[in-house]
Amino acid sequence: MRRSLYWPRLPTVSGSEHGLGPWQTLLFTRVQRTFATSSEGSHFDESCGRNTCEITLRDAQLLKNQCLIGGEFVPALKEDGQGLFDVFNPATRALITKVSNGGKHTTRLAIEKANESFKSWKKLTATERSSFLRKWFDLIIQHSEDLGKIMTIEQGKPLPEAIGEVLYGASFVEFFAEEAKRMYGDIIPAGAKTRALVIPEPVGVCGLVTPWNFPCAMLTRKAAPALAAGCTVICKPSELTPLSALALGELGVRAGLPPGVFNIVTGFHAQPISDELMSHPAMRKISFTGSTAVGKKLLSQSASTVKKMSLELGGLAPFIVMEDANLDDAVSGLVACKFRNNGQTCISANRVYVHSKVYDKFAERVVEKVKTLCVGDGLEPGVHLGPLINEKAIDKVERHVKDAISKGAKVMIGGSRHRLGGLFFEPTVLANVTDSMMMSCEETFGPVIGLFQFDTEEEVLWRSNHTNYGLASYLYTNDLARAWRMAESLECGMVGLNEAMISTCAVPFGGIKESGIGREGSKYGLAEYVHLKYLLMGSIV
């Protein structure tokens, strides 16, 4: 049964009042007509008000705007001001709701609750913890459509893609529910009268700092192995997309996770929250996905208490097309890899190196493929690309394109902000891109393909590796010996050989160099949340 929810009041505006085009005014009106909201029984702060902007969900209770601490949704503590911050729809730039603005004191309370719960959670058997995770997984699958809608509204990606992320995120919960039972130790040969045992133990309370580009999957990819290992967690979601995390928190409560095991602290300013996470002695592990600059700062801060760290940071992925590649496969792989989430992924193809012998043919086919992409509100059917996340993001994309053009790049398609206005940018293909341009050394994080040209294997390997980043690489070739040779020479944590969709729950995701440390997913991801204890038993006759 569908229920209507009342969301906080959206301003009544016309497009002209805010410099928007006619299409945006029409879209804003349509969104007001289409969605449902309500704070009834949903732990919404009543001071946010109500209005007629509707969001239709099957389950109204998934919409939360308060922190999850100790098994309850609560406002930020009065010591942090009990304030609220705004969350906007990037497609319309309309206010969605106001969310609790937690800070240092709210975070400290969450740490205390998590630390207390850790004492009992770690003592459960792996099978008992697995059963909680399995229930959480089942609920995520059951509510995947609603979770997808919430994600599209706050993040902007098309609804089918958002639902796909929910299912992908759920796969980590299922995987680690099963992997929890396989957290084995070792018996090491010792002396004639001794026995040496190695036992994995949960690290302790973990802080999980998640990004806005994958607000569901990045949370489950971190939380599921931590919970499976016997750790308790405090999640700090991005201030741009907190609603997806809070909805997952609600489902965690329904799954029966004991109070304090899974906590979420929302806040507009990350620093007071992260400072408390990094300095508190009870915090034993931090897992962060985000920029390299912030990751370096957190790594430095971790030294004072010697915390275990996992960092998934920036990428500058090369996408290499050799002269013997299947061009149709390479074109399809490139478009899928580059335009997923509108180019806002850390493993997106950022530098597309094409052999000079097939450069022109490949470029033409890419342009024809890009022409089929539809830009618009992610809730509209048939849309492939939604908006970028905010003004800062679209400004960077525009800056990269203008820089490339000023230095000789040729616009084959796109190249500017979309006629829809707002945060929409045209899917773009640039030819004649060189290593002197910004996009050769910075993540564009947007819907822009830059085509570089090369002549030899040695040249493209040197150019691919000539960066401080090392997250993912892609290589298209039909020469098996070359595939192995080049894959082993690429300095990165992951390589897609004739394949652009490289992420699944069963493989280790992560990079080298300044792209991070540690791995997420797979059995190696579980190992990130344990430490090893060695026991030597003597007097064995």
Side-chain angles (χ1 to χ4, degrees), residues 51 74 92 107 156 163 262 271 276 281 321 358 361 383 407 420 485-486 538:
N51 83 6
V74 297
T92 65
T107 305
I163 294 174
F262 182 41
Q271 185 165 340
E276 186 65 22
V321 182
V358 295
K361 185 184 298 185
V383 167
K407 294 175 181 176
L420 299 177
R485 183 172 63 247
M486 293 185 68

Side-chain angles (χ1 to χ4, degrees), residues 20 23-24 27-28 31 86-96 149-158 212 239-243 341-342 344 375-379 385-391 393-394 420-425:
L20 309 180
W23 180 88
Q24 292 164 280
L27 176 61
F28 184 78
V31 171
D86 297 334
V87 179
F88 294 96
N89 180 338
T92 65
R93 295 194 286 187
L95 176 68
I96 303 172
K149 285 184 178 179
I150 292 170
M151 189 189 307
T152 294
I153 292 161
E154 67 173 348
Q155 199 275 341
K157 65 182 62 176
W212 51 263
E239 69 278 6
L240 301 175
T241 56
L243 303 179
N341 199 20
N342 211 7
Q344 299 172 119
V375 178
D377 188 330
L379 294 165
L385 304 179
L388 291 162
I389 190 64
N390 57 20
E391 282 291 344
I394 197 169
L420 299 177
L423 300 175
F424 296 95
F425 200 91

Side-chain angles (χ1 to χ4, degrees), residues 400-412:
H400 275 205
V401 171
K402 288 181 177 180
D403 171 77
I405 293 172
S406 72
K407 294 175 181 176
K410 175 186 176 184
V411 178
M412 301 189 71

Side-chain angles (χ1 to χ4, degrees), residues 288-317:
F288 169 78
T289 296
S291 72
T292 296
V294 174
K296 287 180 178 180
K297 181 178 180 181
L298 295 179
L299 187 60
S300 176
Q301 289 178 320
S302 72
S304 64
T305 51
V306 195
K307 300 186 193 305
K308 192 169 185 177
M309 297 289 290
S310 293
L311 301 172
E312 197 265 280
L313 308 176
L316 197 66

Side-chain angles (χ1 to χ4, degrees), residues 81-109:
Q82 290 187 313
L84 302 167
F85 66 93
D86 297 334
V87 179
F88 294 96
N89 180 338
T92 65
R93 295 194 286 187
L95 176 68
I96 303 172
T97 188
K98 295 177 181 291
V99 175
S100 291
N101 192 15
K104 172 182 177 180
H105 299 282
T106 306
T107 305
R108 185 174 298 171
L109 175 63

